């Protein structure tokens, strides 16, 4: 068997895809943990922001140097950068083969047949990797990610995903549910359903995302179900009702706002306004009073005024986000914004606004955590705490991390923990009797 080393960048979708790749190559390649030991090195890459691509290019140069020194090996570029750059690094021999997100079934032939085309970046309308069981080599055996759809049709003007991953397509629900059932039988306790916009999941018109959630959650009350990401324009009350009906559907909604200014949202082609976003937040609060809401925010998008930026800060305060991923706008070639809108906010202004957004979120996260002091949560124990051997950590339904003294608890079990203190990032707790 040849040795295969895979390094993954970017979103959970890419991490899930790396497990598809490991699976399609498993007949001829076994995984190894270090690039030096590998016959084949694969980088599964991300293009979402410029610094994501720069990180990969730096790594490719490092690997190229390694390749010149040691035994002969092949280096492959896959994922979103493969879609964008295709043959670009083939001539310089920085990479030996390239496969885009819909071309992973070709990898075995690319790696074993020297005559086979070594660049496959065509996107598909229907590839969902049906019939391939992911090789879950990155897993802790407790939580697993299950993609339910691929691609994206939304064309937010700043975003490369519709170009790198192609048209949106949903996966057959029977195969999704079978995969979840198999994971539950193997002892997994938490499943996260993945898609760029899960609310537009649909199979043969009648079967939609709320139904898939109900069927997944109805399987086993001890199996937690999460999902990400929800596009605000498509988050329905029907889904919130299903979430309220099943205690094992986790009460966290990731609802990327991107901006608090209707004018900026319009230029981003997000298809909702500040008001309709806040109306969705209110509906979440009404249906699911215990839910946390997390978000993504971009600072310094084309034409963002100081007033637009203030509107983002005020949206954050009104929505009271529990946590957020916050980014500086990074222009991506090929997108609508790159072609038609000026990237006119100076970098120092972008940075200053981003810092303000981060500082406000830190305060909101801290307040969100403080409110939990004195409450008791059921948490799924994931493993030892990073900071201390004497502590374990787990997550509650709201997706907050709780650290607590180890005692006799095991990873993969549910325990009840009472929160006694907090930081901006973590709750600190102590175990209480499960029947308390
Ligand atoms: N499909 C998801 C998000 C995918 S990308 C959604 O629609 O919400 C994750 C996040 O990266 C986005 O929510 C956005 O906040 C950020 N992002 C995407 N393109 C970006 C760009 N060009 N510059 C900065 N941030 C970007
Ligand atoms: Fe990108 Fe928008 Fe699609 Fe999300 S919904 S992946 S931000 S185009
Ligand atoms: Fe990056 Fe592609 Fe995911 S651009 S965020 S790896 S879909």
């Amino acid at each position: 068997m040849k040795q295969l080393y895979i390094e993954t960048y970017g979103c959970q979708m890419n991490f899930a895809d790396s497990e598809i790749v490991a699976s399609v190559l498993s007949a001829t390649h076994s995984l190894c943990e270090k690039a030096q030991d590998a016959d084949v090195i694969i980088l599964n890459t991300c293009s979402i922001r410029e610094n994501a691509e720069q990180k990969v290019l730096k790594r490719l140069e490092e690997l190229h140097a390694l390749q010149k020194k040691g035994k002969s090996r092949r280096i492959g570029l896959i994922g979103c950068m493969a879609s964008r750059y295709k043959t670009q690094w083939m001539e310089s021999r920085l990479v030996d083969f390239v496969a885009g997100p819909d071309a992973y079934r070709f990898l075995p032939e690319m790696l074993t047949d020297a005559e086979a085309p070594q660049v496959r970046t065509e996107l598909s309308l229907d590839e969902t990797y049906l019939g391939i069981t992911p090789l879950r080599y990155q897993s802790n055996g407790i939580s697993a990610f299950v993609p339910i759809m691929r691609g994206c049709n939304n064309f937010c003007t700043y975003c490369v995903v519709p170009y790198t991953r192609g048209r949106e397509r949903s996966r057959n629900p029977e195969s999704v549910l079978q995969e979840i059932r198999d994971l539950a039988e193997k002892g997994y306790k938490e499943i996260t359903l993945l898609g760029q916009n899960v609310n537009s999941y649909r199979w043969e018109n009648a079967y939609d995302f709320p139904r898939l959630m109900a069927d997944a959650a109805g399987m086993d009350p001890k199996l937690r179900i999460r999902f990400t990401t929800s596009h605000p324009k498509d988050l329905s009350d029907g889904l919130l009702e299903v979430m309220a009906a099943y205690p094992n559907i986790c009460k966290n909604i990731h609802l990327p706002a991107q901006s608090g200014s209707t004018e900026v949202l319009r230029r981003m082609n997000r298809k909702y306004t500040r008001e309709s976003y806040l109306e969705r937040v209110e509906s979440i609060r009404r249906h699911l009073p215990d839910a946390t809401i997390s978000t993504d925010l971009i600072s310094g998008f084309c034409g963002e005024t100081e007033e637009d930026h203030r509107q983002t800060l005020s949206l954050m305060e009104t929505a009271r986000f529990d946590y957020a991923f916050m980014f500086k706008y990074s222009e991506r070639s090929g997108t609508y914004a790159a072609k038609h809108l000026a990237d006119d906010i100076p970098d120092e202004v972008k940075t200053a606004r981003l810092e303000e957004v981060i500082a406000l979120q830190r305060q909101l996260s801290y307040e969100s955590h403080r409110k939990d002091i004195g409450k008791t949560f059921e948490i799924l124990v994931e493993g030892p705490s990073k900071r201390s051997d004497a502590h374990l950590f787990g997550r509650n339904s709201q997706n907050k991390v709780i650290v607590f003294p180890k005692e006799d608890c095991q990873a993969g079990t549910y325990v009840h923990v009472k929160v006694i203190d907090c930081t901006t990032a973590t709750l600190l707790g102590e175990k209480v009797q499960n029947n308390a």
Side-chain angles (χ1 to χ4, degrees):
M1 286 271 240
K2 295 238 159 143
Q3 299 286 300
L4 168 67
Y5 171 76
I6 310 179
E7 210 165 88
T8 310
Y9 297 81
C11 62
Q12 285 152 349
M13 202 71 81
N14 254 16
F15 283 83
D17 279 357
S18 288
E19 300 187 332
I20 302 260
V21 168
S23 171
V24 298
L25 289 172
S26 60
T28 47
H29 292 74
S30 60
L31 288 167
C32 63
E33 302 209 338
K34 290 201 197 99
Q36 298 92 287
D37 302 335
D39 302 296
V40 177
I41 298 173
I42 289 181
L43 298 191
N44 191 0
T45 62
C46 173
S47 292
I48 201 82
R49 283 168 290 275
E50 194 180 351
N51 56 12
E53 291 190 344
Q54 275 165 355
K55 219 188 310 175
V56 168
L57 278 174
K58 203 166 141 250
R59 184 66 176 137
L60 273 178
E61 273 155 20
E62 261 171 47
L63 291 171
H64 194 61
L66 175 80
Q67 193 179 26
K68 279 198 279 193
K69 267 191 269 158
K71 62 175 177 178
S72 93
R73 37 184 140 230
R74 306 192 69 214
I75 298 180
L77 180 81
I78 69 168
C80 290
M81 283 174 76
S83 299
R84 265 164 78 75
Y85 297 104
K86 302 187 167 73
T87 58
Q88 187 149 327
W89 296 298
M90 291 288 283
E91 268 165 37
S92 60
R93 294 295 311 273
L94 207 49
V95 300
D96 303 299
F97 62 97
V98 178
D102 289 337
Y104 301 150
R105 286 183 197 268
F106 299 119
L107 283 169
E109 117 191 9
M110 290 169 77
L111 287 179
T112 53
D113 176 2
E115 304 294 304
Q118 296 296 310
V119 179
R120 305 292 305 247
T121 57
E122 56 277 36
L123 292 166
S124 153
L125 293 177
D126 55 10
E127 178 63 274
T128 57
Y129 296 110
L130 192 68
I132 295 171
T133 306
L135 190 75
R136 297 199 172 266
Y137 70 94
Q138 306 161 109
S139 159
N140 60 2
I142 300 165
S143 331
F145 293 101
V146 174
I148 61 165
M149 59 208 296
R150 300 181 70 82
C152 181
N153 286 350
N154 288 310
F155 289 94
C156 303
T157 55
Y158 50 80
C159 183
V160 292
V161 174
Y163 307 94
T164 61
R165 295 200 155 246
R167 294 293 59 74
E168 180 184 293
R169 67 218 89 131
S170 295
R171 195 177 142 190
N172 180 333
E174 274 165 38
S175 88
V176 172
L177 293 168
Q178 191 54 47
E179 188 171 334
I180 298 174
R181 214 169 284 125
D182 291 345
L183 288 163
E185 272 167 23
K186 291 201 179 97
Y188 282 83
K189 297 288 171 4
E190 183 175 78
I191 305 293
T192 305
L193 305 182
L194 287 183
Q196 297 295 354
N197 178 9
V198 289
N199 299 301
S200 62
Y201 176 90
R202 189 163 286 276
W203 187 255
E204 290 176 350
N205 286 323
Y207 193 94
D208 60 4
F209 186 60
R211 269 191 71 187
L212 180 65
M213 285 297 285
D215 285 347
M219 229 179 257
D220 174 356
K222 279 298 187 194
L223 183 68
R224 281 181 169 184
I225 309 289
R226 299 185 185 278
F227 62 95
T228 194
T229 299
S230 276
H231 195 301
K233 75 179 164 60
D234 298 316
L235 177 79
S236 69
D237 284 354
L239 176 65
L240 299 175
E241 281 154 21
V242 170
M243 288 182 76
Y246 290 88
N248 58 328
I249 299 183
C250 290
K251 303 298 183 274
N252 164 248
I253 297 187
H254 190 62
L255 196 67
Q258 314 299 1
S259 168
S261 153
T262 296
E263 190 44 38
V264 172
L265 290 169
R266 192 187 59 74
R267 280 201 298 279
M268 288 176 163
N269 191 32
R270 288 291 286 180
K271 302 190 179 88
Y272 54 86
T273 61
R274 173 192 179 84
E275 291 69 32
S276 62
Y277 184 90
L278 288 172
E279 187 278 321
R280 289 293 77 204
V281 168
E282 271 173 35
S283 187
I284 295 170
R285 301 277 182 235
R286 236 181 1 258
H287 286 89
L288 307 166
D290 295 335
T292 50
I293 304 178
S294 48
T295 201
D296 295 347
L297 295 163
I298 298 178
S299 286
F301 185 62
C302 309
E304 183 188 73
T305 62
E306 201 52 37
E307 172 55 25
D308 293 325
H309 167 60
R310 299 275 141 227
Q311 296 239 335
T312 297
L313 297 171
S314 99
L315 180 93
M316 292 169 72
E317 292 196 74
T318 311
R320 309 207 70 74
F321 296 121
D322 296 277
Y323 61 95
F325 301 101
M326 297 153 285
F327 312 103
K328 231 185 333 186
Y329 172 56
S330 163
E331 184 178 79
R332 313 309 294 126
S333 59
T335 59
Y336 181 94
K339 289 185 197 151
H340 302 286
L341 305 172
D343 181 13
D344 54 358
I345 309 302
D347 194 58
E348 32 328 335
V349 177
K350 287 183 185 173
T351 304
R353 289 181 186 166
L354 176 64
E355 278 169 6
E356 256 186 285
V357 166
I358 291 173
L360 173 57
Q361 186 54 50
R362 188 167 297 143
Q363 192 188 321
L364 293 173
S365 298
Y366 186 65
E367 285 164 18
S368 156
H369 279 165
R370 278 208 67 86
K371 276 198 325 232
D372 289 337
I373 293 178
K375 291 186 196 162
T376 296
F377 294 104
E378 183 183 60
I379 71 166
L380 175 59
V381 184
E382 287 180 41
S385 147
K386 277 182 216 113
R387 300 242 174 87
S388 137
D389 283 347
H391 290 73
L392 293 171
F393 84 99
R395 266 167 232 268
N396 65 10
S397 170
Q398 289 75 7
N399 210 24
K400 288 183 181 173
V401 172
I402 306 189
V403 172
F404 63 102
K406 198 181 215 161
E407 293 175 39
D408 54 352
C409 303
Q410 300 271 318
T413 60
Y414 290 101
V415 295
H416 284 83
V417 172
K418 181 172 180 185
V419 177
I420 51 172
D421 201 356
C422 74
T423 68
T424 49
T426 336
L427 299 173
L428 307 169
E430 57 191 21
K431 193 179 160 217
V432 296
Q433 288 310 317
N434 273 0
N435 53 5

